[in-house]
Amino acid sequence: MNFYQSLKIGTAALALSATAAFAQTTGPQGETATPSSQVTVSDELSASLQDKGLTAALLWHDQSDFVNAVTAGATDEFARLGIEVVITTSAAFDAAKQRSDIETALVRSPDIILSLPLDPVTSAAAFQDARDEDVALVFLSNLPEGFVHQTDYAAIVTDDLFEMGKQAADALAASIGEEGTVGWIFHDANYYVTNQRDNAFKTTIENDYPNIEIVAEAGISDPARAEEIANAMLLRNPDLSGVYVTWAGPAEGVLAALRSNGNTDTKLVTLDLSEPIALDMVSGGNVVALVADEAYELGRAMAAAGARQYAGEETPPFVVAPAVTVTADNVSEGWMQSLNIEAPASLTGN
């Protein structure tokens, strides 16, 4: 997911403190995480839902490989439960368009809506219309302001944020022989998703790798400045063993800086799948790993939570899907595990 764009859809109050005490993912209101594998629809409940003529709407924030994978996971689970997806929309990160999408969907009288709310305040009023019609709501990553679990929505479903940052730290540490100096480029904004992922990387390095020192830190709020920020970091620290970058978009700028400096030694890790970043990785460049979420599983869990809500079965408020580390050795398997699609031909040679 492009988290620079996700930040535009609203911020959340919680930021993870970089201490070992918070070595787990928590929700936007401090909710304890429940693994998505625990959110299932029993055979008995599935049988009871068949032939009821239930319908669902998928009202997304944008269109991307990530969204396509979430859609596929949700659609397959709904099909298994005999629930028809009657409308799928993309708001193109426009809160007004999303409100219009909700109004359009409600004309179809869906029993379940899955969506990523674009703005906590604006979306609250829009989704309240759905609640007034007793539609079961499941949210991806964000929560409309004032919404109460179970009363207003079934669950928030998102990535295992801490695990993504931890796996990035483990991958970078392994690539530099668990010793050396590291740069940390984090998302300079109050957004619980990126805050937890970034701080999990830092916490893991500081707690688990005593021979690795984070000697350079830089916050980034505008991905367009990534190359500039990386150039400044490299000027002061030309011999960095590795660099962590908050997600794949700005990582492209950091990679450009490494190349322009003729630096082939500094290793780079980032989060989320990106064909340009992965191409450098499979070509033996600076990139050693990308850590992603299981987007298809996010969709499956959202659909299951929606069906459970419709049937009156409670789902925990905050659900997380597993993380997957993708390297040059498992790029095909990793792409499939995350997005449920074949890796781009540029990465596999097929």
Side-chain angles (χ1 to χ4, degrees):
M1 185 186 297
N2 183 324
F3 279 104
Y4 173 62
Q5 293 173 311
S6 294
L7 176 66
K8 292 180 179 179
I9 66 184
T11 59
L14 181 71
L16 181 65
S17 170
T19 67
F22 289 87
Q24 61 180 358
T25 298
T26 54
Q29 298 175 323
E31 302 95 333
T32 299
T34 296
S36 62
S37 60
Q38 296 183 20
V39 180
T40 59
V41 177
S42 67
D43 291 341
E44 181 180 4
L45 178 55
S46 176
S48 74
L49 296 175
Q50 303 292 332
D51 304 320
K52 283 186 176 293
L54 301 181
T55 60
L58 312 182
L59 310 181
W60 300 130
H61 52 299
D62 195 25
Q63 189 64 48
S64 63
D65 285 345
F66 169 82
V67 171
N68 290 342
V70 176
T71 296
T75 301
D76 288 351
E77 180 69 355
F78 279 140
R80 185 181 75 85
L81 303 174
I83 300 172
E84 180 186 3
V85 176
V86 293
I87 184 171
T88 302
T89 63
S90 169
F93 287 98
D94 183 335
K97 172 66 164 57
Q98 184 171 69
R99 175 149 197 168
S100 175
D101 289 344
I102 295 169
E103 293 170 352
T104 300
L106 290 178
V107 173
R108 306 291 295 271
S109 299
D111 300 289
I112 302 167
I113 288 178
L114 311 185
S115 185
L116 190 156
L118 281 171
D119 176 79
V121 176
T122 303
S123 66
F127 283 109
Q128 188 58 48
D129 293 340
R131 283 301 304 123
D132 291 344
E133 296 188 20
D134 292 325
V135 178
L137 297 173
V138 185
F139 298 121
L140 179 62
S141 296
N142 281 358
L143 179 66
E145 186 176 78
F147 271 44
V148 177
H149 175 242
Q150 194 63 15
T151 301
D152 298 317
Y153 67 98
I156 302 170
V157 182
T158 193
D159 317 330
D160 189 338
L161 307 170
F162 188 91
E163 186 63 23
M164 289 184 73
K166 179 184 183 303
Q167 288 189 25
D170 292 339
L172 185 60
S175 74
I176 61 175
E178 299 189 7
E179 62 180 7
T181 57
V182 170
W184 181 54
I185 299 178
F186 61 92
H187 188 198
D188 188 14
N190 183 27
Y191 183 45
Y192 87 99
V193 172
T194 47
N195 294 158
Q196 289 191 60
R197 301 191 329 176
D198 294 343
N199 284 323
F201 172 88
K202 186 177 185 183
T203 297
T204 301
I205 292 295
E206 292 175 344
N207 291 345
D208 296 353
Y209 298 101
N211 295 322
I212 298 177
E213 182 181 4
I214 298 176
V215 297
E217 301 182 6
I220 186 168
S221 57
D222 180 1
R225 295 191 59 232
E227 186 171 356
E228 171 192 341
I229 288 170
N231 277 324
M233 179 178 285
L234 292 167
L235 181 64
R236 294 189 296 269
N237 305 273
D239 298 321
L240 285 176
S241 306
V243 177
Y244 164 88
V245 189
T246 182
W247 75 86
E252 293 183 20
V254 176
L255 181 58
L258 289 169
R259 289 172 173 170
S260 67
N261 282 276
N263 184 327
T264 59
D265 297 323
T266 300
K267 307 303 182 184
L268 187 153
V269 297
T270 191
L271 307 181
D272 306 330
L273 297 185
S274 157
E275 184 175 354
I277 294 294
L279 185 59
D280 178 85
M281 180 177 69
V282 299
S283 302
N286 299 86
V287 179
V288 295
L290 299 88
V291 180
D293 51 27
E294 292 191 8
Y296 181 88
E297 171 64 4
L298 288 173
R300 184 210 62 79
M302 292 184 75
R308 290 167 60 92
Q309 179 86 344
Y310 173 85
E313 292 193 5
E314 184 173 351
T315 297
F318 185 68
V319 177
V320 298
V324 54
T325 297
V326 180
T327 68
D329 294 331
N330 73 338
V331 66
S332 294
E333 297 85 351
W335 228 264
M336 180 60 68
Q337 185 177 347
S338 173
L339 300 178
N340 199 45
I341 60 173
E342 299 292 339
S346 64
L347 306 180
T348 63
N350 296 330

